[in-house]
Amino acid sequence: MESRPAITLCMIVKNEEAFLKKCLSSVQNFADEIIIVDTGSTDGSIRIAEKFNAKIYHYKWDDHFAKARNEGITKAANEWILWLDADECLDIQHPETFKKALANRKANILSLPITNFTGNHLHSDDLTSYIHYQPRLFRNHQGIHFIHRIHETLDAEPEKMTTDILDLPILHYGYIHEVTEKKDKSSRNKRLLELEAAKETHSPWVTYHLASEYYRDKAYKQAFDYVNQSIYMFLLEGRKPPSILYKLKYDILVQTNSIDQALPGIEKALLLYPDYVDLHFYKGLILFQQADYQAALACFETCLDLRENHPDYLILQGVGSFRAAHYKNLCIEKLNTLDKN
């Protein structure tokens, strides 16, 4: 009989009754064990978790996501650990297929594609989505653990940090405005990030995450200042700034129509990340706004050639497909109009 690896779902939860049932329903045929670390729920979250036979542990919240997640790891019994938030769910049709795939993986950490939805309301017709890959499945009992107070990530001895990709999609609804507003996520996140930023030596990632929080609040000036600080901090450390920083920077410039100085900078960013479809798309938007339709057309054609399957990047859905095609057609229309004149 073919072996199937056993999987433990580990979560931290507080007042998540709006999403928890959907989340746990999505994993009930995939996870063999469910560990819930509850940090003080006063709603129906515990009752919902109990209906899924979850093992529930109470944890006094201490403003540190990594510590709470690590508490869950200590309770997990199985070979693999999947971690999710309550406002996420697996988009899975054939759980056994993925469990078989796990049996053949050599890596200790697997990155899964996450679709992050943004917009005003959960059921809006105009939801925007972004795809990125994040380490969400890892082997238990290998010393792999979480670090960082907020925006926690996995860490271990270098030889344990072997990675691979598993195309098991996760859907994330936590960035939708009505969700963040109800939970007041922005205030909480900025408070925790500012605690980290107050340290004399803090990671440039902390500054980037502050930029992201202000961006989601549409406080673009603060966001722009923070993302530039983060880029500078990476450079001071002798490291190439990650691609996601440049995406945020030029997204802000496009959103605020601040394109005068954007083109030389985005050209430099593309030298660092020549296959990043989002940067080509933003370059195309900048050129389009400058009425350089021929050059913009070339950018959108490049986007369509690159497509959107790039696990190393955060991708706005459509920049390598329907969005690029839309602007390609607009460029052609503009050029045809100019020819007629």
Side-chain angles (χ1 to χ4, degrees):
M1 183 176 177
E2 190 175 2
S3 65
R4 307 282 201 282
I7 300 161
T8 295
L9 169 68
C10 286
M11 300 176 62
I12 56 175
V13 167
K14 181 180 179 182
N15 293 337
E16 296 287 0
E17 65 180 4
F19 287 100
L20 191 57
K21 181 179 179 180
K22 182 175 182 178
C23 175
L24 295 181
S25 295
S26 76
V27 302
Q28 62 182 344
N29 294 321
F30 182 68
D32 304 279
E33 177 184 48
I34 297 175
I35 300 292
I36 300 288
V37 173
D38 186 82
T39 62
S41 291
T42 56
D43 65 356
S45 296
I46 299 297
R47 291 192 299 275
I48 293 169
E50 288 173 340
K51 291 179 180 178
F52 289 86
N53 297 316
K55 299 175 182 176
I56 300 163
Y57 299 90
H58 298 281
Y59 182 87
K60 185 176 180 181
W61 179 241
D62 55 359
D63 283 342
H64 205 295
F65 280 90
K67 289 180 180 179
R69 290 207 189 274
N70 288 333
E71 180 71 11
I73 292 175
T74 66
K75 312 298 184 183
N78 291 320
E79 178 184 356
W80 285 89
I81 292 175
L82 167 70
W83 66 280
L84 293 174
D85 288 326
D87 52 18
E88 298 174 330
C89 61
L90 290 187
D91 185 12
I92 185 169
Q93 305 299 322
H94 304 288
E96 285 301 308
T97 300
F98 287 100
K99 296 189 85 166
K100 288 178 183 177
L102 271 185
N104 299 319
R105 295 304 174 100
K106 303 299 183 185
N108 285 333
I109 300 173
L110 300 178
S111 290
L112 277 55
I114 302 175
T115 299
N116 294 294
F117 294 97
T118 64
N120 288 322
H121 304 288
L122 278 168
H123 303 294
S124 297
D125 294 330
D126 59 347
L127 287 180
T128 299
S129 58
Y130 297 81
I131 296 178
H132 77 292
Y133 284 70
Q134 188 178 32
R136 289 304 190 98
L137 264 169
F138 61 96
R139 292 185 193 273
N140 198 5
H141 311 302
Q142 298 293 310
I144 300 170
H145 59 281
F146 290 94
I147 57 173
H148 302 319
R149 180 187 299 273
I150 186 171
H151 296 294
E152 62 279 18
T153 188
L154 295 175
D155 193 30
E157 297 174 3
E159 63 271 17
K160 303 292 186 181
M161 296 291 285
T162 55
T163 60
D164 199 355
I165 289 171
L166 182 68
D167 282 317
L168 171 55
I170 296 173
L171 307 179
H172 177 220
Y173 301 95
Y175 290 143
I176 294 174
H177 182 68
E178 71 172 296
V179 177
T180 58
E181 188 175 45
K182 182 177 180 180
K183 295 182 179 180
D184 197 17
K185 275 188 174 183
S186 179
S187 296
R188 178 203 67 189
N189 290 355
K190 281 188 276 193
R191 178 176 62 82
L192 296 181
L193 287 165
E194 284 163 0
L195 285 174
E196 291 298 297
K199 296 179 180 178
E200 187 173 347
T201 56
H202 65 271
S203 168
W205 281 113
V206 173
T207 310
Y208 162 75
H209 288 306
L210 276 167
S212 294
E213 293 297 335
Y214 281 103
Y215 172 84
R216 280 192 283 272
D217 288 344
K218 298 184 179 180
Y220 293 124
K221 183 183 185 305
Q222 294 96 322
F224 191 72
D225 289 343
Y226 275 121
V227 76
N228 279 331
Q229 287 179 36
S230 182
I231 290 171
Y232 182 63
M233 290 169 70
F234 274 105
L235 292 172
L236 282 180
E237 292 181 357
R239 294 194 283 164
K240 181 169 74 169
S243 59
I244 197 171
L245 275 69
Y246 293 107
K247 173 181 172 58
L248 179 58
K249 176 174 181 174
Y250 293 102
D251 189 318
I252 293 168
L253 290 176
V254 169
Q255 292 281 353
T256 57
N257 200 29
S258 306
I259 62 173
D260 291 343
Q261 303 300 319
L263 195 58
I266 205 167
E267 294 280 16
K268 293 178 182 177
L270 280 166
L271 291 175
L272 297 175
Y273 298 103
D275 60 341
Y276 196 173
V277 61
D278 290 60
L279 292 182
H280 286 282
F281 185 76
Y282 292 143
K283 179 182 174 183
L285 291 180
I286 292 165
L287 290 165
F288 187 86
Q289 291 182 45
Q290 293 177 339
D292 190 346
Y293 302 119
Q294 193 67 55
L297 176 61
C299 289
F300 297 125
E301 288 176 336
T302 298
C303 292
L304 292 169
D305 289 339
L306 287 171
R307 308 297 294 172
E308 296 169 11
N309 186 23
H310 299 276
D312 291 336
Y313 298 131
L314 173 68
I315 304 289
L316 170 62
Q317 284 193 317
V319 294
S321 55
F322 64 90
R323 295 180 194 273
H326 171 73
Y327 276 99
K328 176 183 176 179
N329 291 334
L330 288 180
C331 289
I332 292 171
E333 290 175 9
K334 293 287 188 181
L335 290 168
N336 287 339
T337 300
L338 289 173
D339 287 341
K340 290 176 182 177
N341 295 333

